[in-house]
Amino acid sequence: MRAWCRNSVSEFLLENINSVIGELATSSVNDGFDVEQLQNDSWRYEISNLQEILPANIPCHIFFEFNIPRMGRRIDAVLLGPNFPYVFVIEYKVGADKFMRSDINQVHDYALELKNFHKGSHKSTIIPILVATEAEDTEFNIKYAVDNIAEPICVNPDGLKRVIDGFAFEGQVDGLDWENAPYEPTPTIIEAARALYRDQKVEDITRSEGGSENIKSTSSRVSDIINDSRINNKKTIIFVTGVPGAGKTLVGLNIATQKRQNTTDHAVYLSGNGPLVEVLQEALARDDVKQTGVKKGSAVTKAKTFIQNIHHFRDEALRSDTPPSEHVAIFDEAQRAWNREQTSNFMRRKKGVPDFDAAESEYLISYMDRHKDWATIVCLVGGGQEINVGESGISAWIESIFTKFPNWNIAISDKLHDKEYALPEEINEELYSSQSVSVFSELHLGVSMRSFRAENVSSFVKALLDLNHDQAKDYLEKFNEKYPIVITRDLMEAKKWVRKKARGTERYGLVASSKAMRLKPFAIDVKSEAKPIHYFLDGSDDLRSSYFLESAATEYQIQGLELDWTIVGWDADLRLVNDRWSYHDFKGHKWLNIHKEDNRVFLKNAYRVLLTRARQGMVIFIPYGNYPPDESRLPGFYDETFAYLKSLGIPELQSSEIDIGY
């Protein structure tokens, strides 16, 4: 059951208020919540008010404290009525005399959550209502977006009665079926980390549909391998593969949270993605302060024992010859580990180790290999994600095991041989024929979950960047109604579009390639880096946040993270010339060709990252360019790219398209 208390309206109106409060209090204790007097007083007001205003003859059901797991919150009351059905999401602010923007966003978020993730509400008409009990009486007009979610209605208790009296309830609706309909959320990585840190189950905050590998089964398989290693004193390295946004990081965080309280197989989540680590640590610390009242410093320290920067973990191995305290190390984006040259240079310049001679992967394995009994390494691997010079790819890990650590067992997915993981043919052959290697289909996550509106977005982006015109066009046709992608040459129109599309606290932001140097005339300065904590975590009242559209996150700040809506700034660094990509770096006052193949791959992958960060839709901004004397922004640098994207069926944004239906 998702609600702490439920009943038909006709029976609810006959109930004793104290009985309803008693049921709510009992349910809260069963769910591990302590009920304070202030909460009891709020319940008493809500129940009394609803018993006073609800008509006795309406064939509706009422639910109190309806659980929204992804958000970690509960809706005060939900009134479910027949016809479409109607779902009234009612949030009380007892004692409030004003309608605060944060409260309006809160009830709007509840409505969006039900519409998007609660299967029983997919086809419903949802009316979010904010009740400020001491507010003056106000007039209201009910306006609906195209998905039949009303704009939040702000009323006092008398206004709430007028809202409900304005609907005709005919027929019957099954309240129990609606309440227990599947809840299939797709959380952001920040939301998922917060929920898992609060010990919520991964199956409560994720969904699996459309043939995707179930995150729960992947986590279960990884846990089974870890347990087998512990019980049988084995050392095992596990490779979990997946398409962008498929939930690899979520699997890693789930394993780490499951193990963090266990002294026998304590786990740590590690990533070389500095912005991701920084944002997750801060998000968990803020949430801990809010939930428990602990001091911020203590909360940050606690979060850092759970999520760490991989380079700090690596550097700890230099300080002594002892093994790490953790028996399980989870390396996110393992393909980005540094190669031998990059690691040796860093150790010589920054750590004063002149004779260091190992790739980062080899050294990390050797650190875990110090355990005398058992150890497990979990490598989370993405394809086509390499964006830095000196990244060794996944082959370095496997070569290290084969040549330096033959006592280690290997567990791989059945997709590790796919070309995007860039394994040399000889390593592929040895992997899939070796007796020490086990292959499990559950170790691959095959469908992107970043966009809950369209599962084919990552495939579309791949086809787009591979210049596979027909395939990209076919993919776009499959999701363009659910997941809008538009293009424009007017940045102001792009900003209007994302601001209008976003509802509640849906987050939007500006992203651009780190080489997009000539978007600067449009106040997109990629050299003035967005600060990840402020960009991804702060609210719409903070000018440092993504909401202000003043700072652009590059592929380095946003890889591993996501937004609901994005503006992708596309510059002349990656441009089409005679139907082929041309790769450029801006030096001094002009663009220079990029000749090195690795650097071309990094630039192409940068755009792959940028084009797969939006959960609900994006607008691609390609400027018109400028005629001489500005030779760095010639129209020819941009026009063919724009024409190509438009030929795929991406519509050009028109001012009339900015309205979403209110």
Side-chain angles (χ1 to χ4, degrees), residues 547-583:
Y547 291 112
F548 270 74
L549 300 175
E550 291 186 2
S551 299
T554 70
E555 67 272 21
Y556 299 116
Q557 283 97 47
I558 203 168
Q559 188 175 43
L561 294 159
E562 61 261 295
L563 301 165
D564 287 295
W565 304 90
T566 61
I567 300 173
V568 180
W570 196 310
D571 201 7
D573 51 339
L574 183 67
R575 67 182 86 146
L576 272 181
V577 178
N578 297 324
D579 297 324
R580 299 184 67 178
W581 290 122
S582 185
Y583 304 83

Side-chain angles (χ1 to χ4, degrees), residues 144-329:
Y144 295 97
V146 293
D147 57 1
N148 287 328
I149 298 178
E151 186 177 3
I153 301 169
C154 299
V155 292
N156 64 10
D158 290 336
L160 176 60
K161 176 174 173 56
R162 295 202 310 276
V163 172
I164 295 170
D165 286 347
F167 286 83
F169 300 102
E170 299 176 355
Q172 295 292 328
V173 63
D174 192 320
L176 193 61
D177 280 356
W178 177 85
E179 180 185 9
N180 292 325
Y183 176 70
E184 300 173 336
T186 305
T188 68
I189 194 60
I190 296 170
E191 291 167 339
R194 283 171 170 156
L196 292 170
Y197 201 59
R198 294 193 297 262
D199 295 322
Q200 287 185 252
K201 295 179 180 179
V202 69
E203 57 265 31
D204 289 336
I205 60 169
T206 59
R207 65 173 186 162
S208 176
E209 66 178 27
S212 66
E213 291 290 343
N214 189 294
I215 285 181
K216 181 181 177 182
S217 66
T218 303
S219 299
S220 178
R221 175 59 72 183
V222 173
S223 292
D224 288 346
I225 296 171
I226 292 171
N227 292 336
D228 179 65
S229 297
R230 175 176 53 81
I231 293 169
N232 296 299
N233 278 340
K234 298 194 308 188
K235 293 176 179 177
T236 308
I237 186 167
I238 306 168
F239 294 95
V240 177
T241 57
V243 301
K248 298 180 295 296
T249 298
L250 181 54
V251 168
L253 290 172
N254 187 42
I255 296 298
T257 52
Q258 287 177 355
K259 305 294 184 183
R260 78 178 191 272
Q261 302 296 341
N262 194 328
T263 56
T264 61
D265 56 355
H266 181 58
V268 61
Y269 168 88
L270 301 161
S271 175
N273 183 337
L276 174 65
V277 171
E278 189 180 350
V279 168
L280 291 182
Q281 287 175 343
E282 177 69 14
L284 296 185
R286 290 185 184 185
D287 199 49
D288 206 9
V289 170
K290 183 178 180 180
Q291 297 289 328
T292 68
V294 69
K295 290 185 177 180
K296 179 68 178 292
S298 298
V300 170
T301 300
K302 179 182 172 184
K304 287 182 177 179
T305 64
F306 167 52
I307 295 175
Q308 294 180 29
N309 189 301
I310 193 171
H311 304 309
H312 299 166
F313 182 81
R314 175 204 62 203
D315 296 346
E316 190 66 31
L318 294 172
R319 297 187 176 97
S320 73
D321 294 328
T322 60
S325 59
E326 302 87 359
H327 277 75
V328 181

Side-chain angles (χ1 to χ4, degrees), residues 101 105 504-505 507-508 537-543 545 547-548:
R101 171 49 57 185
N105 286 340
T505 58
R507 186 172 285 273
Y508 51 86
L537 297 180
D538 290 344
S540 57
D541 57 344
D542 192 316
L543 59 83
S545 74
Y547 291 112
F548 270 74

